[in-house]
Amino acid sequence: LNASFSSLIPPAGNISFLSQSGALITAVIDRAVEEGIGFSEIISFGNQSDIEITEAFELATRNNETKVILSYVEGLKLGDTLLEFLKKKPSIFLKAGRGEEGKRAASSHTGSLAGNFKIFKDAVETKGGIVVDTIEEAFDCCQFLSVYGRVKGNRILIITNAGGPGALASDYVSTSGLKLADIESAKEELSRFLPPNWSRINPVDLVGDATSDRYRKAFDVLSKCKNWDSAIIIVTPQSMTDIPEISHEIIRFREISDKPVIGCFMGGHTVKVGVEILRREEIPVYSDPYRAVNVLRRILNGKG
């Protein structure tokens, strides 16, 4: 049943989207269709004269098809009942009414009393929920959680074919309360086939002329390394970069490592085919290092 303002039907998936804005739903559906993000249900509340979000939240926690619950809220009763539901499934909130102007806008929109944002954020995060700042962040977190669910361990491995993006990713990791994984145990084996000028640290810089063969060899070595919890694979499009083949090697890396692996494909037209390959195989992929690291920050730290 499509009883929304949208003429589109989004793909089927495992995200429950609960919203106090019907028009926001149409924008989310439109983007979801383009990016292949699927939903188990989408429910609009608006002024919620009868059914309220807590009731729908309970239903979402009992929906076997739902792995992640995403909510856009303006005002809600943040009682113990709702907070307890946050423990059952990964839950993401996009909250309006943070400042006085936003509170007035929320009140004029649905009549909601937005309440104190800091209290809301602290209460949600204390129970394991995630509060994001933007729709893009919400989508990014949904991509990850719908595949991997809640994860533990903040040691991040970065593998890249470009030194600059690797350095940026390192900065984002260090300022996000996360840690760069120690690769000391893998350095000797990596040095056997990597160029003499490779980084010898994490980020593992495969150097700009890296093809899928070099990625594959590095993946084989690092999959046996026990000192990392999640991996970010950065790919930038040099003339020799075989994007489809590298994408398939990333899929294989996830299989042999059995740990969360996410792609960071920087560029546009040239990397599009790689992005599509990873999405088909349900590997989260992001367009720049900040978004990739920020997802892990949100999920592992909660607070940001």
Side-chain angles (χ1 to χ4, degrees):
L1 171 66
N2 180 357
S4 73
F5 299 148
S6 176
S7 61
L8 299 175
I9 297 288
N14 56 22
I15 301 167
S16 283
F17 180 32
L18 316 177
S19 176
Q20 288 181 325
S21 169
L24 179 66
I25 284 175
T26 64
V28 167
I29 290 174
D30 202 68
R31 181 168 174 177
V33 169
E34 181 174 327
E35 297 190 10
I37 296 173
F39 296 89
S40 49
E41 61 188 358
I42 300 176
I43 302 174
S44 175
F45 295 93
N47 300 64
Q48 57 182 42
S49 61
D50 182 16
I51 300 171
E52 64 176 359
I53 196 167
T54 302
E55 294 171 286
F57 219 96
E58 179 183 11
L59 289 174
T61 63
R62 291 195 273 132
N63 186 338
N64 293 331
E65 296 178 357
T66 295
K67 290 187 178 179
V68 183
I69 303 171
L70 169 62
S71 302
Y72 167 75
V73 296
E74 295 179 356
L76 77 167
K77 298 174 182 177
L78 195 64
D80 291 341
T81 302
L82 178 59
L83 291 175
E84 288 304 309
F85 290 148
L86 304 187
K87 299 177 181 179
K88 297 185 177 181
K89 291 186 179 180
S91 304
I92 302 166
F93 289 89
L94 180 61
K95 175 77 165 65
R98 301 179 178 214
E100 292 305 314
E101 296 296 334
K103 290 178 183 178
R104 282 197 288 271
S107 179
S108 68
H109 178 214
T110 61
S112 295
L113 298 177
N116 184 291
F117 175 72
K118 186 177 186 307
I119 292 174
F120 170 86
K121 187 172 187 290
D122 288 348
V124 167
E125 291 179 338
T126 297
K127 296 296 184 180
I130 298 169
V131 181
V132 297
D133 294 327
T134 66
I135 293 174
E136 182 173 73
E137 268 193 318
F139 267 92
D140 286 352
C141 289
C142 280
Q143 268 198 71
F144 186 96
L145 288 167
S146 65
V147 175
Y148 297 119
R150 293 189 178 102
V151 295
K152 295 180 180 179
N154 64 354
R155 300 170 300 175
I156 312 304
L157 172 65
I158 301 167
I159 304 171
T160 180
N161 68 342
L168 285 173
S170 298
D171 279 339
Y172 301 142
V173 167
S174 64
T175 57
S176 296
L178 308 175
K179 294 180 180 180
L180 286 170
D182 183 358
I183 63 159
E184 186 65 31
S185 63
K187 281 168 60 174
E188 183 178 346
E189 194 170 354
L190 288 170
S191 296
R192 292 173 185 166
F193 59 86
L194 289 180
N197 60 329
W198 82 278
S199 60
R200 288 178 169 75
I201 59 171
N202 179 20
V204 179
D205 186 357
L206 306 180
V207 189
D209 64 348
T211 62
S212 57
D213 180 65
R214 196 177 294 169
Y215 274 94
R216 177 178 55 79
K217 290 177 179 178
F219 292 159
D220 284 343
V221 172
L222 292 164
S223 65
K224 297 179 287 186
C225 182
K226 305 299 182 183
N227 296 333
W228 59 275
D229 301 301
S230 300
I232 298 171
I233 314 303
I234 300 174
V235 180
T236 60
Q238 274 66 262
S239 60
M240 72 291 295
T241 310
D242 46 348
I243 300 291
E245 289 78 8
I246 290 173
S247 302
H248 287 295
E249 292 300 337
I250 293 173
I251 295 165
R252 177 177 166 272
F253 181 43
R254 180 178 68 173
E255 292 172 352
I256 62 176
S257 65
D258 196 29
K259 294 180 180 179
V261 172
I262 61 179
C264 176
F265 278 40
M266 302 180 68
H269 172 76
T270 305
V271 301
K272 187 176 180 180
V273 62
V275 171
E276 291 172 350
I277 289 170
L278 293 189
R279 283 181 177 162
R280 281 201 303 267
E281 295 299 319
E282 297 186 332
I283 291 182
V285 55
Y286 306 106
S287 60
D288 68 76
Y290 177 80
R291 288 176 64 187
V293 174
N294 188 55
V295 164
L296 295 171
R297 172 180 75 98
R298 287 295 190 196
I299 291 166
L300 292 168
N301 290 349
K303 298 182 179 182

